[in-house]
Amino acid sequence: MVAVDYVVIGAGYAGLKCAETLMDKGFKTLIFDMRESGGEISVFSKLSDFSSKYEKYIEEVEELKKDIPVDIGTVIKSKPVIVNSGNGLKRFEAKRVLLCTGATDVAPAKLNVLGKRVAGIYTLETALRLISDNNRIGNKVLIAAKEDKVVELAESQFYRLGYEVELSELQGDISVIGKDRVEGVEIGGETYNCDTLIVYGGRSSFNPLKLRGTPVGNVVTCTYDYSKVEENVKNFLSKI
Amino acid sequence: MYDVAIVGAGVTGCFIAKELSKYNLKVIVFERKAAMGLGQTKGCSGIIHAFQLPFNSLKGKLCLEGNAMMDRESEELGFSFKRVGLLLVATNTITKILLPLLKAYFSRYVEVEEVGREEILEMEPNLREDVKGGLLFPSAGVVNPVEMTYAAYRFAKENGVEFKFNSKVKDISRKPNSFVLKTSGGEFEAKYVLNCAGVYADEIAKMVGYELKITPGKGSHVVFNERGFSNHLIAAIPLKPDRRTKGGGALVSVDGKAIWGPNLVDVESKEDTSVTREEIEGLKRKFGRLFKRLPKDVIAYYAGVRSIAGSDFVINQPLRNFINVAGIQSPGLTAAPAIARRVVRVLAASGLELKRKEKLIKYKFTRIRELSEDGIEKLVEQNPDYGEVICLCNLVSKAEILEVVRDFPSFDAVKHITRAGMGCNKCHADIIILMQRECNRTVKDGAGSELIW
């Protein structure tokens, strides 16, 4: 089994930043990602409104992607590190494991989305991923969200792509009406006419396999505000 | 000309198709949705019942028979089945006093043991301290109902049954020795027609002039992400049993998550699978009373619509060679293999010639989450897509998803068959993008539910 100093799980902003510093300091470091390097910053880079807002992070990630060799593979165990990839399973012994697995949006059921489970209900994260890949997810979008800067950004992004967009507060029960597809949504006694419902009620840590390691970045901060992610990463790296 | 046409690819239709695929017959199945098991089957609780009252009813008998068949079915078809056991709990002194009587009654039909308070609390530490005792029925179990249906579908398909999805049967006309089925995908002629259309069985029966009354009865569930909160199917012994429903329970899914439900709500529409706040609170109250705390982390609410035709299953032949397999509400999942066997007997008695095939093809499920590291390694060598994990929560690979997607461009089919996307929502976009690339069409479950426009 190959022994290394650090294994970094996740090659988004936090993972890449950590890997860069660790490699600079001469630690033997490996970094893995399930999909591709860049994480959700890469998703934002494909959306015009998001790409101007996240410009700084996109540029940084693009630079890091050039320098940091990321292995594509899913870490399914962290002690020892076992990685599943198209090339088979690999095992590593790491002195330390960094969890840079990021955050995921809270699921609709937890945000009291009730009524019928029809097509056209998405978390913000899923909706953004889909439109960043040039998929049209509907025409009339209702974004039911808690107050957050990302919501305004999403609103203008959908608007720019030719969607009709309405916003609603995330308050009480959200009742979905429709036969096969969202046809309307009721929130706090008000009925919205829409074919797509996007809900955002915050984020939580993404580490479903409960891998053990030191969490760094958005897995800790759980936000769309990358200044907070940046701060967390800086804090961590200053102690290395 | 087909020998047998089956209307409906729910668990009943698919198990009959599976059984018929063992014989030299031409069989075709029509399903209005994009995949099998997405109607009543998907909305059920996934319970393999130990028994169904009354024992002398058709459903009571087929339940016991189906339960006894389930280990072999699960092995032959490859779906997961766990006998977790049913724990009926006495929560007051009256039901506690009744325990020996109940045990004596049930033991005439089904394996049952009385368990004391301490033993129950050891088995289920989250139950309230003041439970008085209970009955354990070890033969009760759980499955993933859509996976079970998919397994039967795969077996049937591998062995020659034709399936037509997104095909709605619009009319059936009689010819002297056959039936002509007009569907949204053209006309088909068959000697025998089996009506397995679930909540729409009344409409299908009407096409041949038979009146069948199906009442939709909605059942809602709450799903929690916490695994191992309870280990058995748990319900309180009621003081006064409800004739229409067993009353649901604090259940577990085949992957160990807590599912509470179902209730029974009369609804107007056969498509009413909405879940209301009142129902959720009702379920939490009803089953919450049994425990010290609630399970953690609600992840989903869902409802199914039962097809109720009076108080029992309806398996009859209102006219020659047209067979209703209707009113299959609970315990229909449990009974499915037994229903299939019975229907084959009915067909044989009606003159269908049954000649066993010499060789049958078995379909093998591959689930990387169930494999050892070496097992995964070998698989990836053959197909690198097993090395690409899409759903981390339930460890589902791209290969497993593609296998379903190639048959069904349906998100619900992928989700329910593979369990991908059942934990959090993180991989939903990945699944949809993969499906869109593979099929250029992505629906949730059927026409009108397109995800990408």
Side-chain angles (χ1 to χ4, degrees):
Chain A
M1 203 170 343
V2 180
V4 294
D5 295 315
Y6 280 88
V7 160
V8 179
I9 308 173
Y13 174 78
L16 290 168
K17 288 290 275 186
C18 289
E20 181 197 33
T21 308
L22 293 169
M23 287 172 182
D24 279 354
K25 295 203 174 193
F27 290 110
K28 201 169 174 196
T29 304
L30 290 172
I31 173 165
F32 297 98
D33 199 285
M34 287 176 75
R35 311 247 182 279
E36 47 171 358
S37 61
E40 68 182 353
I41 292 293
S42 288
V43 175
F44 299 157
S45 73
K46 293 174 200 149
L47 296 164
S48 55
D49 286 61
F50 278 77
S51 69
S52 49
K53 187 84 181 174
Y54 287 86
E55 197 179 1
K56 176 185 157 199
Y57 301 102
I58 292 169
E59 278 172 12
E60 239 178 303
V61 162
E62 283 309 313
E63 281 307 306
L64 288 166
K65 273 162 82 171
K66 283 182 213 157
D67 300 339
I68 311 289
V70 174
D71 284 310
I72 301 304
T74 306
V75 178
I76 53 177
K77 259 185 206 154
S78 53
K79 259 179 192 178
V81 177
I82 297 177
V83 187
N84 186 21
S85 79
N87 303 319
L89 287 194
K90 289 191 187 117
R91 292 167 187 81
F92 303 95
E93 194 73 67
K95 284 188 192 132
R96 208 167 167 192
V97 172
L98 301 187
L99 288 173
C100 301
T101 46
T104 187
D105 290 5
V106 174
K110 276 183 211 159
L111 303 171
N112 298 316
V113 175
L114 304 174
K116 259 187 92 166
R117 295 213 298 177
V118 289
I121 307 170
Y122 298 107
T123 59
L124 179 60
E125 178 183 29
T126 301
L128 293 176
R129 272 291 311 280
L130 288 174
I131 61 168
S132 79
D133 192 59
N134 296 319
N135 296 297
R136 183 135 195 117
I137 61 167
N139 285 326
K140 291 173 88 170
V141 174
L142 173 70
I143 306 178
K146 68 167 198 173
E147 221 181 282
D148 193 304
K149 278 188 183 146
V150 72
V151 177
E152 292 155 42
L153 195 59
E155 184 189 13
S156 72
Q157 184 64 65
F158 275 96
Y159 184 74
R160 192 176 308 278
L161 289 168
Y163 291 81
E164 276 179 53
V165 193
E166 265 193 289
L167 287 187
S168 156
E169 265 179 76
L170 197 65
Q171 206 178 50
D173 291 342
I174 300 174
S175 214
V176 177
I177 310 155
K179 188 173 168 276
D180 299 304
R181 168 91 199 182
V182 175
E183 289 165 31
V185 175
E186 258 177 42
I187 304 175
E190 200 167 333
T191 307
Y192 297 85
N193 176 13
C194 57
D195 54 43
T196 306
L197 168 67
I198 296 173
V199 282
Y200 177 65
R203 318 191 83 185
S204 55
S205 305
F206 181 70
N207 179 21
L209 297 182
K210 299 193 170 68
L211 300 175
R212 282 184 297 169
T214 311
V216 188
N218 217 357
V219 71
V220 182
T221 51
C222 297
T223 176
Y224 277 98
D225 180 354
Y226 266 70
S227 66
K228 294 203 174 108
V229 182
E230 185 182 2
E231 202 185 303
N232 178 279
V233 173
K234 266 191 189 146
N235 259 334
F236 172 78
L237 291 176
S238 68
K239 290 175 213 145
I240 295 270
Chain B
M1 169 87 84
Y2 290 89
D3 293 305
V4 184
I6 300 174
V7 185
V11 70
T12 308
C14 286
F15 266 77
I16 296 172
K18 180 267 301 176
E19 208 49 40
L20 289 174
S21 75
K22 296 176 180 170
Y23 303 92
N24 279 315
L25 294 169
K26 258 188 99 182
V27 180
I28 188 164
V29 184
F30 301 99
E31 168 56 48
R32 72 190 165 106
K33 295 219 173 215
M36 62 337 103
L38 296 186
Q40 194 180 175
T41 304
K42 183 185 84 181
C44 83
S45 319
I47 304 308
I48 299 306
H49 290 283
F51 62 87
Q52 168 70 50
L53 298 175
F55 282 107
N56 61 3
S57 62
L58 179 59
K59 62 180 181 181
K61 286 178 195 153
L62 291 174
C63 179
L64 290 182
E65 203 181 313
N67 183 301
M69 292 168 79
M70 206 52 74
D71 300 282
R72 259 204 69 191
E73 294 287 323
S74 128
E75 205 187 290
E76 183 175 38
L77 303 177
F79 62 90
S80 321
F81 166 51
K82 288 180 192 152
R83 289 199 189 270
V84 294
L86 163 71
L87 200 52
L88 285 183
V89 181
T91 50
N92 52 49
T93 26
I94 301 171
T95 46
K96 158 89 174 135
I97 291 166
L98 286 175
L99 286 178
L101 280 171
L102 288 170
K103 190 201 159 194
Y105 171 70
F106 280 113
S107 60
R108 288 162 55 202
Y109 304 94
V110 58
E111 195 186 336
V112 55
E113 46 192 278
E114 196 178 331
V115 272
R117 177 180 168 274
E118 318 259 282
E119 208 181 327
I120 287 189
L121 288 170
E122 206 166 290
M123 285 154 69
E124 294 293 348
N126 284 322
L127 273 176
R128 271 174 52 161
E129 293 289 336
D130 59 358
V131 295
K132 312 280 185 220
L135 296 177
L136 175 69
F137 299 83
S139 62
V142 291
V143 296
N144 162 1
V146 182
E147 186 201 59
M148 173 175 160
T149 306
Y150 177 70
Y153 151 81
R154 282 306 296 239
F155 186 98
K157 195 184 154 199
E158 303 286 335
N159 291 293
V161 173
E162 265 182 67
F163 283 82
K164 299 278 179 202
F165 292 99
N166 301 301
S167 287
K168 200 174 158 178
V169 173
K170 291 174 167 170
D171 198 18
I172 301 173
S173 53
R174 286 175 73 182
K175 286 174 87 173
N177 288 309
S178 66
F179 296 88
V180 176
L181 294 94
K182 291 196 183 73
T183 77
S184 49
E187 287 191 8
F188 299 86
E189 198 175 343
K191 289 180 200 150
Y192 293 81
V193 173
L194 307 180
N195 177 11
C196 307
V199 283
Y200 292 101
D202 51 353
E203 290 180 20
I204 299 297
K206 210 172 177 177
M207 291 173 190
V208 295
Y210 180 73
E211 282 292 330
L212 178 72
K213 195 170 162 29
I214 300 279
T215 323
K218 187 180 72 169
S220 296
H221 306 78
V222 185
V223 188
F224 302 89
N225 211 11
E226 183 174 350
R227 292 178 207 232
F229 172 80
S230 51
N231 309 305
H232 298 77
L233 309 167
I234 302 174
I237 299 170
L239 280 174
K240 210 178 129 211
D242 185 328
R243 292 179 66 92
R244 296 181 63 212
T245 163
K246 293 185 281 298
L251 313 174
V252 289
S253 70
V254 77
D255 45 9
K257 290 178 183 174
I259 301 182
W260 286 9
N263 57 3
L264 173 59
V265 180
D266 290 310
V267 284
E268 302 254 310
S269 159
K270 293 173 174 175
E271 297 290 328
D272 186 353
T273 51
S274 62
V275 180
T276 64
R277 166 64 49 198
E278 257 181 299
E279 291 178 64
I280 294 163
E281 295 310 322
L283 289 170
K284 284 188 182 168
R285 238 189 347 263
K286 180 173 179 183
F287 302 114
R289 275 199 289 263
L290 294 170
F291 296 95
K292 294 183 185 109
R293 64 170 176 93
L294 289 180
K296 278 181 237 153
D297 213 6
V298 170
I299 39 162
Y301 308 114
Y302 75 94
V305 179
R306 305 170 176 90
S307 56
I308 306 170
S311 59
D312 209 344
F313 293 166
V314 176
I315 301 179
N316 63 13
Q317 196 167 172
L319 68 148
R320 203 165 67 88
N321 300 347
F322 180 95
I323 300 163
N324 283 315
V325 191
I328 312 295
Q329 51 159 318
S330 179
L333 194 70
T334 314
I339 291 173
R341 213 157 64 173
R342 172 172 288 243
V343 169
V344 171
R345 279 204 300 267
V346 175
L347 284 167
S350 311
L352 180 69
E353 199 191 324
L354 296 176
K355 227 180 105 199
R356 279 229 171 224
K357 283 178 187 163
E358 275 172 24
K359 229 180 122 190
L360 289 170
I361 301 160
K362 272 196 191 179
Y363 170 71
K364 205 174 157 297
F365 273 84
T366 309
R367 301 272 182 260
I368 62 164
R369 67 172 165 273
E370 287 163 7
L371 294 175
S372 65
E373 285 160 22
D374 289 344
I376 298 178
E377 184 110 53
K378 273 192 203 123
L379 217 52
V380 175
E381 256 171 52
Q382 295 160 17
N383 180 356
D385 284 346
Y386 284 108
E388 196 174 322
V389 175
I390 302 284
C391 169
L392 202 54
C393 297
N394 290 322
L395 217 60
V396 185
S397 67
K398 185 177 172 184
E400 291 158 68
I401 293 173
L402 284 178
E403 175 133 30
V404 176
V405 167
R406 280 179 195 127
D407 278 13
F408 313 114
S410 155
F411 185 73
D412 277 3
V414 168
K415 211 169 118 175
H416 286 272
I417 294 167
T418 68
R419 312 300 285 172
M422 285 291 222
C424 73
N425 285 246
K426 186 86 171 173
C427 65
H428 286 195
D430 296 297
I431 297 171
I432 295 169
I433 290 168
L434 189 64
M435 288 170 68
Q436 191 68 18
R437 288 206 183 123
E438 198 69 17
C439 316
N440 211 14
R441 180 167 178 262
T442 311
V443 296
K444 184 173 183 287
D445 56 4
S449 69
E450 283 74 17
L451 295 171
I452 302 299
W453 290 18

